[in-house]
Amino acid sequence: MLEVSKRGHAMPVSPFRKLLPHAEAARKRGLKVHHLNIGQPDIETPPAVLEAVQKANIRVLEYSASAGHESYRQKLAAYYQRAGIDVTADEIIVTAGGSEAILFAMLSCLNPGDEVIMSEPFYGAYTAFTVAAGVHIVPVLAHIENGFALPPIGEFERVITPRTKAILICNPNNPTGHVYRREELEQLRDICLRHHLYLFSDEAYREFCYDSPYVSALHLSGVDEHVVLLDTISKRYSACGARLGAFVTKNKALYAVALKFAQMRISPPGLAQLLGEAATDLPPTYFDATKTEYLARRDLMVSRLRAMPGVECPLPGGAFYVMARLPVDDCERFGQWLLESFSYENQTVMLTPAAGFYATPGRGRDEVRLAYVLNLDTLDAALTCLEKALIAYPGRTQPLAPTLQAATL
Amino acid sequence: MLEVSKRGHAMPVSPFRKLLPHAEAARKRGLKVHHLNIGQPDIETPPAVLEAVQKANIRVLEYSASAGHESYRQKLAAYYQRAGIDVTADEIIVTAGGSEAILFAMLSCLNPGDEVIMSEPFYGAYTAFTVAAGVHIVPVLAHIENGFALPPIGEFERVITPRTKAILICNPNNPTGHVYRREELEQLRDICLRHHLYLFSDEAYREFCYDSPYVSALHLSGVDEHVVLLDTISKRYSACGARLGAFVTKNKALYAVALKFAQMRISPPGLAQLLGEAATDLPPTYFDATKTEYLARRDLMVSRLRAMPGVECPLPGGAFYVMARLPVDDCERFGQWLLESFSYENQTVMLTPAAGFYATPGRGRDEVRLAYVLNLDTLDAALTCLEKALIAYPGRTQPLAPTLQAATL
């Protein structure tokens, strides 16, 4: 009689968290579990940035302005300017993580029942935000075969209805690692202009592009009113726990509305803003070492995955994820089996089954997302585990070469 | 054609912020503006608590669990236990301020179109959360004449419909300072049990009760499944900027649903959790000095307000607010006039017009909320300003004694 809400029922369990109880079981079996499942970088949070918080002279930890400290917004605007993104402090609302920016975008732009188009697979938590906002995801399928490039723009056009209000992209992409080329983004721009759609662009992984330059949605011309840039310092400075993001738009009417949502929760986290402000002072070379490290890891991961029989895996151009197709019946079952029934040299691996990144039921069952947020040696050990597991797994769907089969006996 | 959402339109401008541009104008006139308008305490954030953050050894500022750090939840549970509130760590979800706890409660318990009953006046931001969640406030009027006590329970009963899902109280109350007596809370309990309603209890000001002991909704017997305690460290430890709150319920089904909303944003602010954890180690005597200070301020404010001709003001038992009825045509107009057209010894006052604390249009136009978050001397000066202003204000609605009128000439 005392019931929870319908949206509460509809709320998905985080795809990252589903296997957690099984990981606990593995640890209880005494195994070392390598976490390839979550985008929590192992990179050190820059000490200078933590120091800014630790040396701050605070008498009263007060509310900040609802849009965030003016000083932080000024410096964040300068950071964007250096990246060729022409925004000012009063076009930025500082948020509690990128998450809150996504929520503000959904609540400010869409009515319940409205539709937002996403190329699938997409970041699993987007589903949760759409449920919270009462809006619907309309997926357009991207294919592993072409590296999860933007689906043909006709596919987007085909699914537009009078309820379509926005297209949401993540660039560089989580979970696929795909980095959208300028032509892809221009196609999206054109469709947004033609159909009066918002373009939500989650650019959390901006600094991690390995093969081609990064293009922001705010680099595009003629679409300023439509773009909401969703951002976070989580990955950029390995400061996920800070919960500091940004909602950025040059659309003044939209900004005013989003600011009312920001006023609802009075202000974004204060200590994190000190950290974020200090981070804008880091030299541009700060990212060099991190990028070099991620690049080496990506190359290791992709080359090892490609060497595993039956595994398919594009070369991701950015972020720190690889989406791979595995020769197994069901990656959720495989993931659970890894934690409950498998070990190699007292280790096993936790990965994220990709089904939670698809809106279409049944899709992605043979795909996983693997994050390369472990150092090279650990990553190599984790991939060896995965390799051995794919040979031993009873639900394998492709025959193995006789030599490999023999090796497992 | 590119439109903002209907809920974005409906979203109220924060009643605390409406007068801000006028305050800016006053500062440009060279005036000192005394802020009686916002609940930002001037009390020092406990240095030991800030030190816990500042001395923490952090290599990577990682995501915490979605419910918050286990260690913090354990200690927070112990804090509640000391207050006679029987909850455990796994009945707590740590949130980004009390705000996020309110949002999670609305989203988890109510469907769009559902109704939540509030005694009005109520904390203005509640309106924003109901707009975000697509639910409706059904107000029941509390009266200044009896100190904003709980309206007769029959008034609640009268407005219950099949869409009513919850009653939301704030205890001690913001904006009225009323502290609900056990009998009032038991009446609310009974009605929640009888009609299968959730009881949302915002207890942000728990530690600030001056005349009678504080009773939590979780002190009541037989209603555990119905209660959601909404909490924050903002006022308790003068750490508003930390943005750290809690959603607490013993209802396991509801907890599981709220946790899914918590997973949506991955984790609550990390640095703030270090601060919050340290705060639970403060001795119970920590609150003594703060309470003594607030009590002195309350008594000063109430006695001075009552000495002003035509001003009506109950004695609030808790929190750090006074609701007063002023002899003016419209408090919003008066508030603006204070900032634009008045000064006394080069000072003026900013206050919060109470209309934003009422759901019913037209109510509260002659009421203001005044926060006593300034030291006694400043508070006294601010109240002198207010006294002089009430004499000089052209929109005054009650005649002044001839001596007072003469004094203004």
Side-chain angles (χ1 to χ4, degrees), chain A residues 108-302:
Chain A
S108 301
C109 299
L110 282 78
N111 296 318
D114 281 350
E115 295 165 359
V116 52
I117 303 177
M118 300 182 198
S119 148
E120 70 176 355
F122 50 78
Y123 173 49
Y126 292 154
T127 310
F129 291 105
T130 59
V131 171
V135 303
H136 304 299
I137 297 175
V138 174
V140 171
L141 185 63
H143 297 273
I144 195 167
E145 290 77 9
N146 65 352
F148 297 104
L150 192 75
I153 208 71
E155 296 287 302
F156 285 82
E157 202 111 33
R158 202 176 51 78
V159 297
I160 288 174
T161 76
R163 302 298 317 241
T164 310
K165 293 290 162 60
I167 296 175
L168 169 54
I169 59 169
C170 180
N171 180 33
N173 193 273
N174 172 10
T176 70
H178 181 71
V179 179
Y180 291 101
R181 288 172 296 108
R182 180 174 281 274
E183 306 81 77
E184 290 175 298
L185 293 170
E186 285 176 348
Q187 289 182 324
L188 286 171
R189 172 195 60 191
D190 294 346
I191 202 172
C192 286
L193 289 173
R194 202 152 55 239
H195 296 276
H196 312 290
L197 308 179
Y198 287 102
L199 180 57
F200 299 155
S201 186
D202 179 345
E203 305 185 0
Y205 298 89
R206 170 182 313 111
E207 298 293 348
F208 307 116
C209 293
Y210 309 115
D211 308 316
S212 56
Y214 154 81
V215 182
S216 168
L218 281 175
H219 285 145
L220 304 171
S221 62
V223 72
D224 277 356
E225 291 289 302
H226 297 247
V227 173
V228 182
L229 192 157
L230 307 165
D231 206 358
T232 170
I233 69 160
S234 290
K235 317 295 174 173
R236 198 146 80 225
Y237 305 112
S238 193
C240 296
R243 312 314 298 129
L244 197 70
F247 172 103
V248 184
T249 187
K250 298 182 78 68
N251 179 325
K252 289 197 190 315
L254 175 58
Y255 184 91
V257 163
L259 188 59
K260 292 195 284 181
F261 285 96
Q263 288 174 348
M264 171 177 82
R265 51 61 163 153
I266 311 183
S267 67
L271 295 168
Q273 289 186 75
L274 299 177
L275 186 148
E277 187 168 333
T280 60
D281 289 332
L282 290 170
T285 51
Y286 160 72
F287 297 106
D288 295 350
T290 312
K291 272 176 73 171
T292 305
E293 175 66 23
Y294 280 138
L295 181 56
R297 294 175 182 185
R298 177 197 70 168
D299 291 347
L300 173 73
M301 186 177 257
V302 170

Side-chain angles (χ1 to χ4, degrees), chain B residues 26-165:
Chain B
R27 265 186 295 271
K28 282 191 181 140
R29 285 199 288 141
L31 300 188
K32 163 84 189 151
V33 179
H34 296 298
H35 285 267
L36 299 176
N37 60 303
I38 194 164
Q40 168 59 62
D42 63 327
I43 305 288
E44 182 176 54
T45 310
V49 156
L50 284 165
E51 254 172 43
V53 180
Q54 301 195 310
K55 290 189 172 159
N57 183 11
I58 302 166
R59 201 188 76 85
V60 184
L61 185 55
E62 295 190 347
Y63 290 123
S64 72
S66 294
H69 284 305
E70 169 80 19
S71 57
Y72 176 42
R73 285 184 289 118
Q74 292 286 359
K75 287 188 161 188
L76 188 57
Y79 160 83
Y80 288 128
Q81 294 281 352
R82 289 195 295 275
I85 298 171
D86 180 29
V87 297
T88 58
D90 57 1
E91 293 165 341
I92 296 171
I93 295 172
V94 179
T95 55
S99 307
E100 193 177 63
I102 299 168
L103 187 64
F104 287 174
M106 301 261 178
L107 293 175
S108 301
C109 299
L110 282 79
N111 296 319
D114 281 350
E115 296 165 358
V116 52
I117 303 176
M118 301 183 198
S119 147
E120 71 176 353
F122 50 78
Y123 173 51
Y126 292 154
T127 310
F129 291 105
T130 59
V131 170
V135 304
H136 304 299
I137 296 175
V138 175
V140 172
L141 185 63
H143 296 273
I144 195 168
E145 290 77 9
N146 65 353
F148 298 103
L150 192 75
I153 208 72
E155 297 287 302
F156 286 83
E157 202 110 35
R158 204 174 51 77
V159 297
I160 288 174
T161 76
R163 304 295 321 237
T164 310
K165 292 291 162 57

